[in-house]
Amino acid sequence: MKNTLDSTSRFLMQATLGADQKLLETVSNQGIEPWLSDQLKHKPGSTRVFEKSTRAIWQDFRKRLVATHGARALDGDGNNPALPYKWYFHMAWWDHTLSSKDDLLRQRMAQALGEILVISDQSSLELDSIGFASYYDLLYKHAFGSYVDLLYDVSMHPMMGIYLSHMHNQKANKRKNIHPDENYAREIMQLFSIGLFELNQDGSEKLDAKGKPIPTYDNRDIKELARVFTGLLPAAYEYEWTNGFWEQSYNGYQVGFDDGIEKAYKTVPFIDATKPMVVDEDYHDRRSKSLLNGRLTLPGGQKGPAEIRVAVEQLVAHPSTAPFIARNLINRLVTSNPSPDYIRTVSKAFGPTGDLKATLEAVLTYPLANEVSDKRLPTARKVKDKMVQSQKLKSPLHRVTQLLLAFNAQNTSGKLWLLGDDLQEELQMHPMSAPTVFNFYKPDFAPHGPLQNAGLVAPEFELHTSATSVAYVNQMYYWFFGGFLPLVSTQIGSGAEQKMVMEMYPDTLWAQKNDALRFDLKAEIASAKSAATRDALIDQMSILLTGRTSQKAKARIKAAFAQFSGNPDWVVQTIAFMIAVSPEFTVQEA
């Protein structure tokens, strides 16, 4: 059944990182649900999509760095080494996001999962973009799969093992004053599964006899679960170079607790961060374990990987996990304040094994026929037979991806290798670059004022400060009027301090005409040449970017370009800019 353009646009803001006019019209004509069904059938062409592309980009730069400077100047032996730093994953992520069109829903889900199962390059992990890409491949691969499989693979991935410090965990040894690290045990419960308080299936907190929320776990549970994640090690040593301290034969050598090698060499950049961690059974606690009031029980005598798998299965099956993950995904994709019925519907789809395909389908189809929040805002309006209103502030990342995709940002070289640092600096957000494991914003954050007074939360507003809001407007001005889009780098560094990396100077990069990003606004400019078609053009661009038209907004836009209405380029730039900085665009509706 054909859907209206405005309802299709609102849906695509939830289901994709961004849509252009062609996709909007295609989905409108095909129908939202048939398109969704097709997207949910997508299977990745490889289980290592991002690892392969990140590795290829790094090798491209590595060869040119060696050809220019020689390996001895780059190997880390008395110099700053050339390593697959974080930027190579950034480049692969943006290249995929701006060019791949058959996996739009999978891309959106992977990015959302990356804000739940957080690792960050704001740490030592920045030294290994290939390991980063390997981790992101798990989110991409399992996006429509089982949350059990995903959480197990995440638990065994060396990048998570480093980030939340369960790599190199040993069973307790009182004589040596060794105790298992409790960091991952805490976070897998608090952030990745059961949350802090026991939940009903509608997301409401269960209360004890005194009317207080019931904690899902206590410190004893953390200590008990930490015993599960013991004996874990990287699979092998691996380093980019051979030099005075690293022989080629070291690569592939199995890592051991007592192999005589310093612990500093048992993490990035000296390990293979793409292979799952292994368990040294001599250091794994094989005794029985019981926690969460008996909901998680392990009989003992099991090998490490099998025990970790069973622990993950029982955590995912815990009654609080389904509503906890349901709320998280709804928050990322649709609304900051979902109704109990919405959460209950998605929780049921998640089930005891974490069916992510069914979960995602429930998250995206529920709003098609139902109001997603119980709290009606004064700005709510009726569209056909349901009410539509503001639901969440779009994250800075989502705003950026939506605009770049809406206007088909491309370059002549075809290498969409965005550095990402300029976006991170201005907007305080970039994929896999959160400041902490708690993501970029707290789920219960509410800005002071009407939202907080109404008992509503608005997590993304934690990034919406006076500095970032001004930076965003300035950035949009530079994009649309100056042509200074996000920085792309395909050249090796030109300065002495950039000898081991790619070119990073903005002026140098924008001067690379083949690499500099440009919007494709030819169709819009053609429509803007005639004053008679400009109202329709404003409506078209408004629907694409905001899912609605507004006579008041249209009047503001027309007044803004009135002085130079004879220049169609400026007319289109003004329309795009005015929409991009408007509340209608920055706040998502459903």
Side-chain angles (χ1 to χ4, degrees):
M1 185 179 86
K2 183 174 179 178
N3 296 99
T4 63
L5 289 173
D6 57 353
S7 64
T8 304
S9 177
R10 289 192 296 272
F11 167 78
L12 289 174
M13 289 178 214
Q14 301 160 9
T16 73
L17 291 170
D20 59 15
Q21 189 64 28
K22 180 180 178 182
L23 177 65
L24 175 61
E25 293 175 0
T26 297
V27 178
S28 175
N29 289 324
Q30 180 184 0
I32 287 171
E33 293 185 85
W35 181 86
L36 177 60
S37 178
D38 287 346
Q39 286 286 305
L40 286 168
K41 294 173 186 173
H42 174 268
K43 298 185 184 303
S46 165
T47 57
R48 296 186 170 185
V49 173
F50 289 90
E51 181 190 332
K52 286 181 177 179
S53 57
T54 301
R55 193 184 295 275
I57 294 170
W58 158 238
Q59 288 298 325
D60 179 277
F61 277 96
R62 190 184 192 275
K63 288 176 183 176
R64 287 182 285 149
L65 288 167
V66 170
T68 302
H69 304 294
R72 288 289 295 117
L74 304 167
D75 63 7
D77 196 355
N79 54 60
N80 290 324
L83 296 172
Y85 296 111
K86 62 182 181 179
W87 299 288
Y88 301 104
F89 170 69
H90 291 185
M91 292 173 172
W93 191 90
W94 283 106
D95 191 76
H96 188 95
T97 299
L98 298 181
S99 62
S100 183
K101 305 299 182 185
D102 67 337
D103 60 347
L104 299 176
L105 182 62
R106 187 178 290 275
Q107 289 183 49
R108 182 74 163 114
M109 183 63 160
Q111 189 275 321
L113 289 168
E115 290 193 40
I116 299 171
L117 302 165
V118 174
I119 64 171
S120 173
D121 60 21
Q122 304 298 299
S123 68
S124 65
L125 301 185
E126 69 173 353
L127 300 175
D128 195 341
S129 64
I130 297 171
F132 238 105
S134 168
Y135 181 86
Y136 198 82
D137 276 328
L138 297 182
L139 311 179
Y140 184 80
K141 169 188 172 183
H142 293 300
F144 305 157
S146 158
Y147 194 67
V148 168
D149 293 340
L150 173 57
L151 190 54
Y152 173 74
D153 284 353
V154 160
S155 299
M156 297 299 289
H157 200 282
M159 298 297 271
M160 180 60 82
I162 295 167
Y163 191 61
L164 290 183
S165 59
H166 57 299
M167 181 187 282
H168 307 302
N169 227 0
Q170 299 182 33
K171 65 183 178 182
N173 185 326
K174 292 184 179 179
R175 183 175 60 83
K176 294 183 177 181
N177 196 30
I178 293 173
H179 304 278
D181 186 288
E182 299 170 5
N183 200 20
Y184 189 67
R186 180 187 307 105
E187 307 308 357
I188 193 176
M189 292 191 289
Q190 179 181 344
L191 301 177
F192 303 165
S193 59
I194 61 178
L196 287 172
F197 299 105
E198 291 193 13
L199 302 175
N200 296 303
Q201 290 305 289
D202 65 1
S204 60
E205 293 176 347
K206 293 183 178 180
L207 305 177
D208 62 17
K210 296 180 179 179
K212 295 182 178 180
I214 304 169
T216 48
Y217 62 89
D218 57 23
N219 199 51
R220 191 199 70 83
D221 294 319
I222 295 171
K223 291 181 179 297
E224 194 79 350
L225 187 58
R227 294 170 50 211
V228 174
F229 299 103
T230 50
L232 288 160
L233 288 168
Y237 291 103
E238 186 174 284
Y239 183 59
E240 279 294 328
W241 307 97
T242 56
N243 55 28
F245 65 80
W246 198 272
E247 297 178 12
Q248 181 64 35
S249 61
Y250 297 171
N251 291 331
Y253 189 81
Q254 185 174 344
V255 181
F257 281 103
D258 297 317
D259 58 10
I261 298 173
E262 293 178 37
K263 193 172 181 179
Y265 291 99
K266 296 180 180 183
T267 186
V268 290
F270 302 107
I271 62 165
D272 184 342
T274 67
K275 291 186 175 65
M277 291 185 288
V278 297
V279 176
D280 184 333
E281 295 297 337
D282 290 338
Y283 292 85
H284 176 66
D285 188 332
R286 294 169 69 98
R287 295 172 297 164
S288 63
K289 304 165 185 76
S290 178
L291 58 151
L292 306 181
N293 296 316
R295 282 202 177 104
L296 199 160
T297 56
L298 301 165
Q302 298 185 78
K303 290 188 175 182
E307 186 172 65
I308 292 171
R309 174 78 189 195
V310 173
V312 167
E313 288 173 349
Q314 294 187 28
L315 283 173
V316 173
H318 188 285
S320 293
T321 299
F324 181 77
I325 298 300
R327 181 188 291 275
N328 266 280
L329 286 172
I330 293 169
N331 288 167
R332 297 286 73 78
L333 302 179
V334 180
T335 179
S336 299
N337 298 279
S339 68
D341 186 64
Y342 191 5
I343 296 175
R344 185 187 301 109
T345 299
V346 177
S347 298
K348 182 178 180 181
F350 186 89
T353 61
D355 184 339
L356 291 177
K357 182 178 181 179
T359 299
L360 182 55
E361 187 171 22
V363 169
L364 295 174
T365 55
Y366 185 91
L368 299 179
N370 304 279
E371 292 185 48
V372 300
S373 178
D374 277 352
K375 296 190 177 180
R376 185 75 56 78
L377 300 178
T379 54
R381 66 188 196 282
K382 191 163 188 177
V383 178
K384 290 195 171 179
D385 55 349
K386 68 185 286 280
M387 299 298 290
V388 171
Q389 65 179 18
S390 301
Q391 295 296 343
K392 68 190 295 285
L393 181 69
K394 292 175 188 171
S395 73
L397 175 67
H398 195 200
R399 279 177 261 158
V400 164
T401 57
Q402 191 182 349
L403 290 167
L404 293 175
L405 289 164
F407 300 125
N408 194 29
Q410 296 290 316
N411 58 18
T412 305
S413 70
K415 297 176 178 179
L416 304 172
W417 297 354
L418 279 65
L419 282 173
D421 281 10
D422 47 337
L423 296 172
Q424 173 81 6
E425 182 178 349
E426 294 294 327
L427 305 179
Q428 300 300 300
M429 189 177 189
H430 188 277
M432 312 303 284
S433 298
T436 72
V437 71
F438 296 98
N439 198 28
F440 297 96
Y441 26 71
K442 295 183 287 291
D444 59 352
F445 180 82
H448 297 305
L451 289 175
Q452 187 179 56
N453 295 340
L456 300 172
V457 298
E460 287 82 359
F461 270 96
E462 192 165 9
L463 288 182
H464 190 71
T465 64
S466 57
T468 58
S469 58
V470 171
Y472 173 71
V473 174
N474 288 339
Q475 189 173 61
M476 292 302 101
Y477 184 87
Y478 294 139
W479 280 22
F480 290 109
F481 294 111
F484 297 111
L485 271 67
L487 294 169
V488 170
S489 183
T490 68
Q491 310 298 316
I492 64 172
S494 59
E497 69 278 12
Q498 296 185 88
K499 187 165 67 174
M500 76 298 297
V501 292
M502 70 291 294
E503 180 62 59
M504 292 186 176
Y505 287 131
D507 290 345
T508 304
L509 295 176
W510 279 317
Q512 301 293 322
K513 300 301 182 185
N514 285 337
D515 294 330
L517 284 184
R518 293 287 182 266
F519 285 131
D520 181 2
L521 296 169
K522 292 191 294 293
E524 288 81 3
I525 291 170
S527 293
K529 288 180 179 178
S530 170
T533 58
R534 287 176 182 169
D535 276 25
L537 176 62
I538 295 171
D539 286 344
Q540 175 183 298
M541 294 172 69
S542 294
I543 290 173
L544 174 64
L545 294 175
T546 73
R548 61 183 296 191
T549 59
S550 165
Q551 292 304 313
K552 288 183 178 179
K554 185 187 295 185
R556 290 197 302 268
I557 293 169
K558 291 172 73 173
F561 67 66
Q563 296 182 51
F564 42 85
S565 59
N567 187 321
D569 291 53
W570 289 1
V571 169
V572 171
Q573 290 164 358
T574 302
I575 297 171
F577 171 76
M578 292 290 286
I579 295 174
V581 300
S582 70
E584 290 86 359
F585 171 69
T586 54
V587 176
Q588 183 171 305
E589 293 188 318

